Amino acid sequence: MGVGALVVNSDASGMRMGEIPDPVPQPNEALVDVRHVSINHGDLRVDVRPPGTVLGCDASGVVARAAADGSGPAAGTRVVAFSVGAWARRIAVGTNELAEVPASIDLAHAAALPLAGITALRTLRAAGPILGRRVLVTGASGGVGRMAVQLAAHGGAHVIASVGTAERGEGLAALGAHEVVVGLDGIDRPVDLILDNVGGPQLVAAWGLLAPGGNVQSIGWVSGEPAVFPPYSTFSLGAARTLSSFGDASDVGPDLATLVDLVATGALVIEVGWRGPWDRVDEAADALAGRRLAGKAVLDVY
């Protein structure tokens, strides 16, 4: 027997519905029956993955079998999980990569939380205390951006949300943004921290806005364009400015639990801009790639 899954086409030109072997869990892994998954920009890079690869990393569902070593939640528990190859009807997930979801939170919305929420939380944490600091979030209308705006405001920062068009900035002030700008227009004072989801020329321009000692957390690169720094543009007097990469998505269970708690108390809102059955993944992926969504795209697994 096998389980349904979304996999890379045989010619790596896209994705298709397929069937994979039933997962065989390690002692520290729970078997989870997946109910919903969400899409991140990185999931759409099918051309860099071997044919047959199961896509996705964000999922929510119900524990079908608890981990054999006794760790993690019991069978029947509603959970959210971060797991490479999550777009399948049943997955094996390490108990350090999932968190329980209370009944007050829609499982479909929970599926939108893992990668975007972990990225926003950990990049803000890596920058140190943000109380009273000026934080710029580029690509703020996307899944990571909208969560970063909320978490930065929750941490006491002055939050500047940068978007591609005025329309894409709608709702960001309600999430905690103190300023909403198109591109980098109107930012007339240095910023202490930049969470950059855009890359390309805007990353270069944003670097010029950093105050001495400031930091850029390079999260995403949705522009698809190279970033070319002019000669000596990285030199400045005073405390060193830094540009940091992000790719830490291991042992996320405790941070997932923190994010779930924030959602449960109303301190963090999960925004879903597209939702539909998983056989409409191409439609959802096209909307995400075309930057026509405010928030995340969620697929219901049937």
Side-chain angles (χ1 to χ4, degrees), residues 164-186:
T165 65
E167 291 76 17
R168 291 183 65 79
E170 293 178 2
L172 288 171
L175 295 180
H178 299 86
E179 302 175 47
V180 180
V181 299
V182 176
L184 302 178
D185 293 342

Side-chain angles (χ1 to χ4, degrees), residues 34-41 43 57-61 79-82 87 101 105-120 142-148 150 256 259-260 263 268-275 288 293-300:
V34 175
R35 299 287 185 265
H36 312 277
V37 298
S38 73
I39 307 176
N40 299 288
H41 280 278
D43 299 326
C57 58
D58 291 354
S60 64
V79 294
V80 58
F82 177 88
W87 292 1
V101 178
I105 299 176
D106 185 341
L107 266 183
H109 282 71
L113 189 60
L115 186 60
I118 291 297
T119 300
V144 174
R146 299 180 89 86
M147 291 190 192
Q150 295 178 73
L256 268 180
L259 291 165
V260 168
V263 174
L268 180 64
V269 176
I270 302 172
E271 296 189 303
V272 175
W274 190 101
R275 180 179 174 186
L288 181 64
L293 298 182
K296 296 294 296 290
V298 171
L299 305 171
D300 301 325

Side-chain angles (χ1 to χ4, degrees), residues 12-38:
S13 63
M15 58 191 82
R16 62 176 175 82
M17 298 297 298
E19 188 171 283
I20 61 172
D22 282 311
V24 179
Q26 298 296 311
N28 66 330
E29 293 180 330
L31 281 179
V32 176
D33 284 337
V34 175
R35 299 287 185 265
H36 312 277
V37 298
S38 73

Side-chain angles (χ1 to χ4, degrees), residues 204-276:
V204 177
W207 172 266
L209 295 172
L210 270 184
N215 171 244
V216 177
Q217 291 281 328
S218 179
I219 298 171
W221 211 283
V222 296
S223 71
E225 300 176 279
V228 181
F229 287 83
Y232 301 106
S233 62
T234 56
F235 174 82
S236 64
L237 298 173
R241 297 180 295 168
T242 56
L243 190 155
S244 304
S245 63
F246 174 76
D248 180 14
S250 60
D251 298 318
V252 300
D255 284 344
L256 268 180
T258 295
L259 291 165
V260 168
D261 286 344
L262 289 171
V263 174
T265 61
L268 180 64
V269 176
I270 302 172
E271 296 189 303
V272 175
W274 190 101
R275 180 179 174 186

Side-chain angles (χ1 to χ4, degrees), residues 135-140 149 159-163 172 177-183:
V135 175
L136 168 63
V137 181
T138 69
V149 165
V159 183
I160 306 165
S162 167
V163 293
L172 288 171
H178 299 86
E179 302 175 47
V180 180
V181 299
V182 176

